[in-house]
Amino acid sequence: ALVGAMHGGCCVVNFGDVKRNDFSDCNIRAEMDITCTFTEHKSMAYGADWLQNTANTKCERESMIAASCSFYDQKIFLWNTAQNSPR
């Protein structure tokens, strides 16, 4: 999952098995692993989405490009999640 985490920047998160507590549907637990972070935004990163590459039909880690935007400085970045750096 690609997350716009406000003052925490943006990150790519892999979730493990989701488990529910038998007593409440609101209590959901999952293992999570942050595989990539992007903190070049100088203000809140409030939006993020994957950039679809229609020329590459394989979803390879090397070709995963994300777009993210920030609030106060009004900037958008394109960045490669494998390299963890802005483009």
Side-chain angles (χ1 to χ4, degrees):
L2 178 60
V3 178
M6 305 299 262
H7 292 292
C10 294
C11 55
V12 178
V13 180
N14 288 329
F15 292 97
D17 293 333
V18 176
K19 298 180 182 183
R20 290 181 181 239
N21 185 328
D22 292 334
F23 303 108
S24 170
D25 285 339
C26 296
N27 190 4
I28 298 174
R29 295 178 184 217
E31 295 289 324
M32 87 177 176
D33 180 32
I34 298 174
T35 60
C36 176
T37 58
F38 181 79
T39 57
E40 293 296 315
H41 291 289
K42 302 303 177 202
S43 69
M44 292 188 300
Y46 71 95
D49 203 353
W50 295 109
L51 182 65
Q52 180 124 10
N53 182 358
T54 56
N56 184 1
T57 55
K58 287 182 164 182
C59 185
E60 297 175 2
R61 176 106 171 109
E62 292 79 25
S63 65
M64 295 176 74
I65 305 297
S68 57
C69 56
S70 51
F71 188 74
Y72 296 113
D73 59 357
Q74 301 174 353
K75 294 195 178 186
I76 186 166
F77 287 90
L78 297 178
W79 45 284
N80 186 324
T81 60
Q83 294 174 349
N84 194 21
S85 62
R87 296 182 110 192

